[in-house]
Amino acid sequence: MTAEAAAGEVPWLEELLAEVPPGETPDLHGAFPRLEEAQLRALETWGERRTVERGEVLVAEGEPEQSVAVLLSGRAADVEGFGTSDARVIRVHGPGRFLGELGVLTGQPSFVTGVVVDPGEVLGIPAERLRALAAAERAFGDQLLRAFLVRRWLALGEGVGFRIIGSRYSREARQLREFAARNRLPHRFLDLEEDPPAEHLLRDLGLTPEETPVVLFRGHVLRNPTTAQLAEVFGLRDVDPSERVHDLIVVGAGPAGLAAAVYGASEGLDTLVLDAVAPGGQAGRTSSIENYLGFPSGISGGELAERAEMQAEKFGARRDVPAEAVAMEQRDGNHVLRLADGTEIVGRCVVVATGVRVRRLPVPGLEEFEDTCVYYAATSAEAQQCVGDPVVIVGGGNSAGQAATFMADHAAQVRLVALESSLDENMSRYLADRIERDPRIEVRLHTEVERLEGERGRLETVVVKDTVTRELDRLPARDLMVFIGGTPSTSWLPESVTVDAGGYVVTGPAAARGDGAEGLPRDAALLLETSLPGVFAAGDVRSGSVKRVAAAVGEGAMAVRCVHEHLSRTR
Ligand SMILES: Cc1cc2nc3c(=O)[nH]c(=O)nc-3n(C[C@H](O)[C@H](O)[C@H](O)COP(=O)(O)OP(=O)(O)OC[C@H]3O[C@@H](n4cnc5c(N)ncnc54)[C@H](O)[C@@H]3O)c2cc1C
């Protein structure tokens, strides 16, 4: 929308702007800070001043953000669904505030439109200058980053963004919702089972329930899209495979892989990080990590991953999601990774940071409910899906304990089923204490799940057995959360990478000796080097690793040191 077309000439626009409330939206949690006079003066050299008219669009929903608009005078509003009959004003900003979202740094499209309400002046700072600006004006850089992260967090909670329409009992809809949630893409789910407007909306679009799940975002109507198609639309794929030989390919973007990407890119390596699902790995499956250094009140795994991803990107690392490595071979002295979609990418070195894959519950009936009512994570995304339900959580470790305390705030009833005979057998004391004191959590010790019952993919009962008395009990449950450990994600590695009896990657001197399995003995091996020179392993996937976020991060950083040594030996 141009300034000429805007002012008073478009009836719907005038109607929308007339609805904008007076004043400004309060600054929620630092999401909308007001820059001081001195800061505004310092920013002048980085951008361009211009006058703006009522109705002028500064940021367009669905488009990549080319610049950050700092309001010098006048007011602007964030609008969702701009130009449609569903348009709604989300927030209003006055002088000294800046518009924009995380996408200006990551290349994702904007999820709202920024439109001028009262004419005035803005300072437009081009996106490509932001990195240099953030380095030169650190206080502003910190404010900008924090504001964008909080804005994303707000958008996720408010259901701003694209729509996924489908049934809560559809496997495909569940996959899309999980992909969006894990990748922190703002969206709202419209449930065909319980949300009458969802069906009306489908009808208006000329679609039938059989064509769902459907994703709607501005001009895009995606019918039953794959997660890769969703990733394409929302700018998660940042790679041209034919491009070049990367110095370092990091496989897996959990804490270990993200650390390797940050250190690799910041130390000048041409670094590519890829993940089959989303950044965050197992850590992204929990709502609160309380023992990671520097976060005394805890941090959600999703937020930790988002921050790390931004950091990696800031240093120039590239990422590709979803990108599952299915095979690896050596060619011309390099490592060639084949992805599930058939593309190949080439690197001089590879850091294997593929962690562990969740272990499924070995009980009858699992398949019937797994895609609809069984979860392997407990974050706000799962909480939304299980709100008001009776929930059974299985597991006796910290991850099950964290899930129980978190879900107690959302579910109607939480039952924790554990094989252990005391809660602190495999759980940190602080968590066990918290659970024992929480009247909303019922604990069943020395108990295992016998079978699941329900109808047409809807879970109704979890049948459990007391392993001491052998008595069966029927626990009402609409959702089941499973946290019983995992198995290493190493099936894609070639035989030349030695793994131990459990399938974990052997590194260092043991790998050089060929311990653990058939391996090629070598004279020297770097600490995290596998039996295949130039291939390193970090984090939970590594044999003997500690299975903690901090340890994974440390190993990711160390692996980069090993990469440098390898490259200097072989160049
Ligand atoms: C629910 C839960 C709560 C936890 N809470 C805590 C806690 O409070 N404190 C703590 O210290 N630790 C905690 N942990 C453990 C911690 O999360 C892990 O130790 C840590 O995430 C390991 O990091 P990683 O990077 O090695 O592997 P992972 O986190 O497992 O990440 C591996 C990544 O690799 C990807 N991947 C796998 N195979 C492929 C492939 N073939 N191609 C491409 N990508 C692939 C996966 O999608 C995944 O994103 C928790 C774990 C869980 C499950």
Side-chain angles (χ1 to χ4, degrees):
M1 168 100 25
T2 62
E4 301 79 61
E9 292 172 22
V10 186
W12 63 261
L13 180 57
E14 262 317 317
E15 264 173 46
L16 178 78
L17 295 179
E19 279 174 24
V20 174
E24 279 183 311
T25 311
D27 176 15
L28 305 163
H29 312 288
F32 312 111
R34 192 182 316 286
L35 303 179
E36 291 165 10
E37 275 301 320
Q39 278 182 301
L40 291 172
R41 274 198 302 279
L43 293 183
E44 291 269 356
T45 52
W46 296 88
E48 213 170 273
R49 253 175 194 266
R50 65 190 173 90
T51 55
V52 287
E53 302 297 329
R54 182 172 167 86
E56 188 171 337
V57 169
L58 302 174
V59 182
E61 191 176 334
E63 303 289 329
E65 294 180 52
Q66 310 289 0
S67 64
V68 168
V70 182
L71 289 170
L72 300 174
S73 58
R75 283 190 315 149
D78 291 334
V79 178
E80 189 188 25
F82 186 75
T84 71
S85 55
D86 296 329
R88 66 177 177 124
V89 174
I90 308 173
R91 318 182 202 287
V92 188
H93 310 292
R97 287 192 180 179
F98 53 88
L99 305 190
E101 296 177 56
L102 213 48
V104 76
L105 301 174
T106 62
Q108 285 176 9
S110 174
F111 290 95
V112 292
T113 294
V115 59
V116 177
V117 181
D118 299 332
E121 235 189 337
V122 300
L123 181 70
I125 304 171
E128 66 270 12
R129 302 192 74 183
L130 280 177
R131 274 198 187 125
L133 166 58
E137 302 286 338
R138 295 188 76 94
F140 174 68
D142 288 350
Q143 234 169 352
L144 188 86
L145 190 59
R146 180 174 158 72
F148 285 164
L149 287 167
V150 182
R151 286 177 196 188
R152 175 56 59 94
W153 175 73
L154 289 172
L156 287 166
E158 291 165 343
V160 170
F162 61 95
R163 304 277 177 274
I164 301 175
I165 307 178
S167 160
R168 64 176 291 176
Y169 300 112
S170 145
R171 175 175 184 267
E172 291 76 16
R174 163 93 180 263
Q175 267 173 2
L176 292 175
R177 292 171 75 187
E178 281 192 357
F179 183 78
R182 295 270 167 277
N183 283 285
R184 296 176 76 78
L185 297 175
H187 67 285
R188 188 185 306 165
F189 177 60
L190 301 179
D191 187 358
L192 282 172
E193 308 291 331
E194 285 171 7
D195 208 350
E199 212 165 327
H200 298 156
L201 189 55
L202 273 191
R203 225 173 297 133
D204 291 348
L205 292 164
L207 297 169
T208 61
E210 289 68 45
E211 289 172 279
T212 60
V214 169
V215 170
L216 306 178
F217 184 54
R218 300 302 291 174
H220 301 278
V221 179
L222 306 174
R223 291 178 180 80
N224 197 1
T226 60
T227 52
Q229 286 169 314
L230 210 59
E232 206 78 58
V233 172
F234 294 104
L236 302 182
R237 309 204 72 174
D238 190 15
V239 171
D240 176 357
S242 59
E243 248 177 21
R244 58 171 179 256
V245 180
H246 300 276
D247 292 331
L248 170 62
I249 300 176
V250 182
V251 189
L258 286 169
V262 167
Y263 285 92
S266 70
E267 291 168 20
L269 296 175
D270 166 20
T271 303
L272 166 65
V273 57
L274 47 97
D275 198 287
V277 186
Q282 294 169 75
R285 295 178 180 274
T286 182
S287 63
S288 180
I289 297 167
E290 295 195 45
N291 55 2
Y292 187 57
L293 196 73
F295 293 90
S297 51
I299 181 167
S300 84
E303 196 184 335
L304 187 68
E306 190 167 60
R307 284 166 176 268
E309 210 190 336
M310 301 268 306
Q311 220 169 350
E313 231 163 277
K314 175 178 109 174
F315 291 121
R318 311 246 245 126
R319 54 112 192 253
D320 196 5
V321 174
E324 183 185 0
V326 291
M328 182 168 77
E329 64 179 50
Q330 281 186 288
R331 210 182 286 158
D332 306 327
N334 293 317
H335 302 284
V336 181
L337 283 154
R338 202 171 68 247
L339 306 184
D341 66 2
T343 50
E344 286 188 343
I345 44 175
V346 187
R348 290 190 182 87
C349 291
V350 172
V351 169
V352 177
T354 44
V356 299
R357 185 170 290 137
V358 289
R359 186 170 287 138
R360 299 167 72 228
L361 204 59
V363 294
L366 182 74
E367 288 77 17
E368 188 185 345
F369 306 106
E370 193 165 33
D371 294 327
T372 51
C373 307
V374 180
Y375 301 87
Y376 298 93
T379 67
S380 48
E382 286 73 29
Q384 267 176 26
Q385 295 177 46
C386 306
V387 75
D389 290 350
V391 174
V392 169
I393 296 171
V394 185
N398 279 352
S399 41
Q402 285 167 0
T405 54
F406 176 66
M407 288 308 296
D409 290 335
H410 304 277
Q413 196 170 34
V414 173
R415 291 194 174 90
L416 179 64
V417 171
L419 265 176
E420 286 78 354
S421 48
S422 82
L423 209 48
D424 61 357
E425 206 171 302
N426 285 315
M427 196 182 287
S428 298
R429 189 62 250 175
Y430 80 94
L431 258 181
D433 285 347
R434 209 178 283 170
I435 290 169
E436 278 159 3
R437 282 199 304 266
D438 194 329
R440 300 167 303 172
I441 305 172
E442 181 184 321
V443 180
R444 298 290 185 107
L445 292 170
H446 42 79
T447 300
E448 63 188 10
V449 176
E450 188 76 1
R451 63 179 182 274
L452 308 181
E453 294 177 354
E455 266 184 32
R456 284 179 288 132
R458 296 169 198 212
L459 181 66
E460 283 162 14
T461 310
V462 176
V463 181
V464 295
K465 184 166 79 184
D466 186 311
T467 56
V468 178
T469 64
R470 317 303 290 170
E471 273 174 24
L472 293 181
D473 201 355
R474 301 170 61 79
L475 308 179
R478 198 161 164 191
D479 310 287
L480 177 71
M481 297 187 151
V482 181
F483 300 93
I484 53 169
T487 48
S489 302
T490 48
S491 55
W492 59 280
L493 289 169
E495 279 182 9
S496 48
V497 175
T498 302
V499 294
D500 66 15
Y504 291 88
V505 180
V506 179
T507 55
R513 286 194 309 269
D515 288 5
E518 288 307 303
L520 295 175
R522 286 186 291 117
D523 291 339
L526 299 165
L527 202 56
L528 297 179
E529 195 166 25
T530 70
S531 53
L532 184 60
V535 177
F536 305 85
D540 281 15
V541 75
R542 201 176 62 76
S543 180
S545 64
V546 176
K547 315 278 185 292
R548 287 277 186 274
V549 174
V553 168
E555 290 192 8
M558 270 164 65
V560 170
R561 184 62 202 261
C562 299
V563 166
H564 281 300
E565 283 184 39
H566 174 83
L567 289 174
S568 66
R569 271 195 334 218
T570 53
R571 257 181 186 144

